[in-house]
Amino acid sequence: MSLNRELVKEAMKGVRVSPQSPDVVAANQFAWAAACDTYASVKLRVGALDKPGFDRVAGEAHKALLALGKPLDSLIVEFIDDLGTVIHTTRFGGPVARSKNATPAAPQAAHAAAPVTPPSRPAQDAGHRPIGGVNADASGIQGVGRIIAVGAGKGGVGKSTIALNLAVGLARRGKSVGLMDGDIYGPSMPTMLGLGSLDPVIHEGLLQPFAVHGVKCMTIGKLVDPEKPLIWRGPMAHGAFKQLTEQTRWGELDYLIVDLPPGTGDVSLTLAQALKVAGAVVVCTPQKVAQDDAVRAAKMFQQLGIEVLGVVENMSSFVADDGKSYEIFGRGGAEQMAQRLGVPFLGAIPITMGLRVNSDTGNPTLNFTPTDAPGKRLHAALEAMIDQFEAQASLAAMRAGATRPTLTIS
Ligand code: ADP
């Protein structure tokens, strides 16, 4: 029998935050565990510790798991606060290669697994030209903080839906957010955003983004004939996408969320490379076949040196009008896949009729102001996903040296 959730929890009974304290399970500090094959992750709610303190407790957890005598290739120990926000992560073994052009490292043998410090972001290509020349920000686009790519192994899994709701949700939390529809094969944002007959405006040589639902948006769908199929060759697509992103007057943005075309073909690859992407979110559905594609998408980002901030499981269950859930595609597959890849799981978004209707009618804001039972479940799931996203994005920024934790004493 390989590792499972119960075995991991059992092992945690051997872990103590200090020699005098009860074990983390007895002390109610054990929050969550998951395991799949030789991969495990654990969440502990242990309060404020310094970095060596976190790593020491994580080391104990690692030792306790090894003592089970099961093969263990990767362990991720996440420390969370009372709100569930991840405040520290310690990894042992597992695929963490993020250097440019590197393939993900083969999992290390259990006995060799040691804490891994994720490498900092590689230097960017000389080819990334900051637009405007001066004062360009980390993204290479003046005023734009971090570019986040949302990708998927294949179409129809809800990549655009997740990108849009992530953008709207972040904006509702007071972040300044841009949304770039880079799905050049089937731009769906004009519909999902309800852009209707709005036309793009060019001012002083730059496109003005559409300001809707608290988000600044740009979509190639507004610049091409919606009735004509979009057939792009790699270099053409690359040029159009880069131009559209760089020649939009985004202004000051905390995040620019980019909805990439589905798949891991040439076009997705060049688009992901065209911008200084700070992190990627991979969307997949619970079925096994979808996961295989999503693994390829995650590996594509990793090979480009782009940190995968996490995986979102969309359509993880159907919530009916009476609030009952039906797991029509199964559940938990994406979480296990995230574990196999050694990347965070950002959450599970259910299927609701309301989400589909709000997307078709261009009213994403309604997903955040629910009135019925399925809507409330969806809203809670979206907020939980955005919590996890923000936590992982801040961690990634800290690892990249972009921000430092701040301590406020009052
Ligand atoms: P992709 O970008 O991966 O091609 P979309 O985001 O365009 O997929 O979603 C495809 C269709 O599925 C859209 O009509 C969308 O409204 C619907 N959809 C996606 N996710 C959900 C969900 N969780 N609940 C209900 N409908 C959904």
Side-chain angles (χ1 to χ4, degrees):
M1 189 175 55
S2 58
L3 279 176
N4 59 38
R5 211 181 279 253
E6 286 67 41
L7 281 172
V8 175
K9 184 171 177 184
E10 200 50 42
M12 292 305 110
K13 293 184 181 164
V15 178
R16 288 179 160 68
V17 172
S18 69
Q20 307 78 28
S21 55
D23 70 77
V24 292
V25 176
N28 212 15
Q29 291 167 319
F30 167 83
W32 174 92
C36 170
D37 299 333
T38 57
Y39 296 78
S41 49
V42 178
K43 282 189 187 171
L44 300 176
R45 203 186 298 105
V46 300
L49 288 175
D50 55 6
K51 185 179 177 303
F54 283 127
D55 287 340
R56 184 185 49 72
V57 177
E60 272 197 36
H62 184 226
K63 238 194 272 164
L65 274 186
L66 287 178
L68 293 173
K70 307 276 179 202
L72 176 69
D73 285 326
S74 159
L75 170 66
I76 301 173
V77 184
E78 288 182 323
F79 295 91
I80 57 173
D81 63 15
D82 286 341
L83 297 174
T85 308
V86 179
I87 47 181
H88 183 85
T89 304
T90 309
R91 292 165 190 260
F92 298 86
V96 293
R98 291 197 185 104
S99 65
K100 212 160 181 79
N101 301 327
T103 44
Q108 299 166 19
H111 59 272
V116 174
T117 312
S120 57
R121 287 264 304 144
Q124 296 293 342
D125 282 350
H128 287 300
R129 180 185 53 83
I131 192 165
V134 287
N135 296 333
D137 289 310
S139 65
I141 303 176
Q142 193 162 27
V144 175
R146 276 178 275 173
I147 299 179
I148 307 293
V150 180
K154 61 176 185 171
V157 298
K159 174 182 52 57
S160 303
T161 307
I162 298 299
L164 169 63
N165 285 283
L166 180 60
V168 172
L170 286 167
R172 291 177 69 85
R173 292 181 179 198
K175 296 287 186 304
S176 177
V177 186
L179 177 62
M180 166 72 193
D181 181 6
D183 193 342
I184 53 170
Y185 294 121
S188 45
M189 290 299 176
T191 303
M192 289 188 173
L193 292 164
L195 296 183
S197 55
L198 288 178
D199 277 327
V201 173
I202 295 177
H203 180 63
E204 292 176 349
L206 288 177
L207 283 158
Q208 298 295 120
F210 300 96
V212 282
H213 317 292
V215 175
K216 294 180 189 169
C217 314
M218 185 45 66
T219 166
I220 211 155
K222 273 288 170 190
L223 304 173
V224 295
D225 184 342
E227 301 292 318
K228 285 203 181 132
L230 297 182
I231 303 165
W232 301 89
R233 281 174 296 112
M236 243 167 88
H238 180 259
F241 174 78
K242 200 161 153 56
Q243 232 179 324
L244 190 62
T245 314
E246 292 185 343
Q247 296 185 7
T248 295
R249 191 184 301 280
W250 295 109
E252 296 289 317
L253 291 185
D254 294 314
Y255 293 109
L256 175 60
I257 311 283
V258 179
D259 181 18
L260 284 181
T264 48
D266 271 2
V267 173
S268 317
L269 210 96
T270 36
L271 298 199
Q273 265 176 317
L275 304 172
K276 287 183 181 179
V277 177
V281 171
V282 174
V283 181
C284 89
T285 50
Q287 305 96 311
K288 178 80 178 90
V289 280
Q291 286 163 35
D292 295 342
D293 290 320
V295 166
R296 276 191 283 278
K299 288 192 171 167
M300 172 187 86
F301 288 123
Q302 288 176 330
Q303 285 179 14
L304 293 173
I306 297 171
E307 179 160 359
V308 177
L309 299 179
V311 175
V312 174
E313 179 169 279
N314 186 32
M315 307 192 189
S316 84
S317 60
F318 165 67
V319 183
D321 283 351
D322 58 4
K324 263 198 196 147
S325 290
Y326 300 87
E327 293 175 1
I328 45 185
F329 295 139
R331 194 188 172 93
E335 189 170 358
Q336 289 179 357
M337 184 205 92
Q339 230 169 54
R340 259 176 27 221
L341 284 166
V343 300
F345 179 64
L346 300 181
I349 305 299
I351 303 177
T352 68
M353 194 86 93
L355 177 52
R356 204 270 305 147
V357 171
N358 296 339
S359 296
D360 277 358
T361 55
N363 280 315
T365 315
L366 296 182
N367 299 328
F368 294 85
T369 51
T371 51
D372 57 8
K376 287 179 185 161
R377 291 276 296 280
L378 171 71
H379 181 223
L382 288 173
E383 294 292 355
M385 172 189 83
I386 297 163
D387 282 346
Q388 285 299 323
F389 168 83
E390 286 204 281
Q392 294 304 333
S394 329
L395 277 173
M398 275 187 228
R399 283 195 290 266
T403 60
R404 307 215 174 285
T406 49
L407 178 66
T408 311
I409 301 169
S410 53

